[in-house]
Amino acid sequence: MNNAEFTGLRLERRGHTAVVTLDNPPAHTWTEASLGALTRLVAQLNAEREIYSLVITGSGEKFFSAGADLKLFADGDKGRAATMARRFGEAFEALAAFRGVSIAAINGYAMGGGLECALACDLRVAEEHAQMALPEATVGLLPCAGGTQWLAWTVGESWAKRMVLLGERVDAPTALRIGLVDDVVPRGGALQRALAMAAMVEKQSPTSVTACKKLIQGARHQPAHQVLVAEREAFVALFDSEDQREGVNAFLAKRHPEWRNA
């Protein structure tokens, strides 16, 4: 994959993990081009069967991402607003639907669309100096890239209202306490911790992980009785996979499984 094709992003493969670095200095703000690039990048990674996890972080030590550049909306152009809202939705919904495990390594400020990007990931690690907020209403806007939904699912309605309706900013310890992030690490340590989590994913059957992730996320918007039926059906469907046979037989033979993601 040629990084030049993916404006504002850098890709590195580390074994079964794809590391995506947001790289639009100084604050790694999102543009129409970089959002489109993320959509295409996730689609390509979905097709790479050797990729089991995706880690996304910001370049440098200060910003994960400051979200959208507000200069785009200064003239009140509704057409531009509609285009950007659509691009944000496409990119972060693609990220949320990535077939493997996605982990945000929040290495600094994650504001607005930056935090929405992290919320679209399955897990989040924050460095101790990180700050997180959805301040859109402060400037007459609102989170349009899944923020009102993913934040409420992650931290509950009360904290979602504090962050969105009051514009409350949270630091890393608070984010850990309310469940916004899964771990807090010293400055400079988020990527290393995220990669360690990604290494744990490699021990899991990638076909099982994909099926489990769909079921877990399905609980957000489907009644339990429907998801429970789907859970049983997904269990049986795994018996069509090579990984199911490999996993069980490797355990019985007391050896490490060799996953094929098939």
Side-chain angles (χ1 to χ4, degrees), residues 237-259:
L238 286 175
F239 283 75
D240 292 328
S241 71
E242 294 182 28
D243 282 349
Q244 179 276 322
R245 292 184 289 277
E246 170 63 12
V248 171
N249 285 287
F251 177 83
L252 294 174
K254 296 182 171 56
R255 62 175 175 81
H256 294 297
E258 297 181 6
W259 305 123

Side-chain angles (χ1 to χ4, degrees), residues 211-235:
C212 290
K213 177 173 172 175
K214 289 179 180 178
L215 290 164
I216 292 169
Q217 292 181 334
R220 296 171 175 172
H221 51 77
Q222 292 177 290
H225 70 272
Q226 290 183 9
V227 180
L228 289 171
V229 171
E231 184 181 70
R232 295 190 292 272
E233 292 173 345
F235 173 81

Side-chain angles (χ1 to χ4, degrees), residues 56 64 92 95 104 106 110 113-124:
I56 188 163
F64 176 78
F92 295 167
L95 178 58
I106 303 173
L115 180 56
E116 286 175 302
C117 176
L119 284 166
C121 293
D122 299 310
L123 301 168
R124 286 157 294 281

